[in-house]
Amino acid sequence: MIKINNLTKTYLDDGTTTPALKNVSFEIKKGEFVAIMGPSGSGKSTLMHILSFLDRPSSGDYYFLDKNIHDLSDNNLAHIRNENMGFVFQAFNLLNSSSVYENVEMPLLYSAVLPTERRDRVSKAVAAVGLMEKIGIEAGKLSGGQKQRVAIARALVNDPDIIFADEPTGNLDSVSGAQVMEIFEYLNKIGRTIILVTHETYTAQFANRLIRLMDGKLEVDQLMEKRIINEAKYFK
């Protein structure tokens, strides 16, 4: 699904050159659950931005579904991002005055999906995170854990090939964080590819593979011992 070769990213600010990534290479196959870790300044956020088409590398090659992004225009990348990728962020990025339904529906408003199919997709996505009883409630009235589950439903609604999660438990207590990670774990179990950026060791343990960066370089790339998965109670 993803292949990067000698990926390098350098920032230029007031004549000062700052390398963020240095010749990073790896592959991610469909169905993997990968945790990307590293201290502040290690390059993990830069890597996530490049992998999710929010930024471009300075040099090196990035192939997504066998397409080299170097050959694609910004419009092409935006289309692929909307159709093939889902995103979950630390800050939820929900519209608090809009309902759960309206927040989850949002990515579909930029596609050619008909209203009847939109309703069906939204309902399935909300049901997948166990929040059907909250579907008409304003997002601002939900708990932090519930808000993040809405964000996951929004990421699912376009049936993406891959879900990017950037510190998804950073604003949650330990119980809510574990519940959110169980959802990601279940989604991976049923075939979703997930790339998680986190600084929390406990959160990373839900993944099957660890990529660790240090000073912009790939320091560790290893398989993780699989957890014994209990069926997430949010899925029926």
Side-chain angles (χ1 to χ4, degrees):
M1 177 171 283
I2 284 176
K3 181 178 180 180
I4 62 173
N5 291 318
N6 297 319
L7 204 69
T8 296
K9 180 64 178 182
T10 301
Y11 294 103
L12 184 63
D13 184 23
D14 292 332
T16 301
T17 299
T18 304
L21 293 174
K22 305 171 186 176
N23 298 314
V24 176
S25 300
F26 59 77
E27 296 183 22
I28 295 176
K29 296 179 180 178
K30 181 176 175 61
E32 286 197 87
F33 188 164
V34 181
I36 299 175
M37 298 190 74
S40 179
S42 63
K44 62 183 185 295
S45 294
T46 298
L47 179 60
M48 173 72 96
H49 289 160
I50 292 175
L51 294 180
S52 59
F53 298 170
L54 297 176
D55 199 357
R56 288 182 181 264
S58 301
S59 63
D61 294 308
Y62 172 19
Y63 294 88
F64 182 79
L65 297 176
D66 296 324
K67 296 178 181 178
N68 192 332
I69 70 166
H70 178 75
D71 301 326
L72 301 175
S73 68
D74 289 345
N75 286 338
N76 292 147
L77 294 180
H79 177 76
I80 295 173
R81 188 166 58 239
N82 190 55
E83 294 294 322
N84 299 94
M85 298 177 177
F87 299 89
V88 181
F89 303 97
Q90 178 177 347
F92 316 135
N93 291 353
L94 301 179
L95 298 177
N96 285 329
S97 60
S98 297
S99 68
V100 168
Y101 181 98
E102 291 166 336
N103 273 281
V104 175
E105 181 190 33
M106 194 169 302
L108 298 176
L109 300 178
Y110 303 97
S111 66
V113 178
L114 296 175
T116 52
E117 185 179 352
R118 282 209 305 266
R119 287 194 293 271
D120 183 54
R121 286 198 191 187
V122 172
S123 295
K124 286 181 178 178
V126 174
V129 297
L131 285 178
M132 281 301 290
E133 76 281 3
K134 306 287 187 182
I135 197 167
I137 294 177
E138 291 181 1
K141 297 180 179 179
L142 302 177
S143 68
Q146 289 171 335
K147 287 180 180 179
Q148 196 60 292
R149 286 157 66 183
V150 173
I152 294 172
R154 182 183 57 195
L156 287 173
V157 77
N158 259 339
D159 192 25
D161 292 299
I162 188 167
I163 296 175
F164 291 96
D166 191 359
E167 300 282 6
T169 61
N171 285 336
L172 304 179
D173 60 60
S174 59
V175 173
S176 297
Q179 291 173 344
V180 164
M181 291 311 302
E182 284 178 358
I183 293 177
F184 282 121
E185 187 174 47
Y186 182 84
L187 293 173
N188 177 247
K189 182 181 177 182
I190 61 174
R192 302 280 181 177
T193 304
I194 298 173
I195 298 180
L196 164 75
V197 165
T198 183
H199 67 276
E200 299 168 330
T201 301
Y202 173 74
T203 300
Q205 289 174 347
F206 283 81
N208 303 131
R209 179 179 169 195
L210 171 66
I211 290 175
R212 186 185 299 277
L213 300 177
M214 179 64 72
D215 297 329
K217 296 180 179 180
L218 181 62
E219 182 185 51
V220 173
D221 184 355
Q222 66 183 34
L223 297 178
M224 305 268 280
E225 183 177 350
K226 286 192 175 182
R227 285 167 28 97
I228 297 174
I229 300 176
N230 295 318
E231 289 293 329
K233 61 186 177 181
Y234 313 103
F235 302 87
K236 300 176 181 178

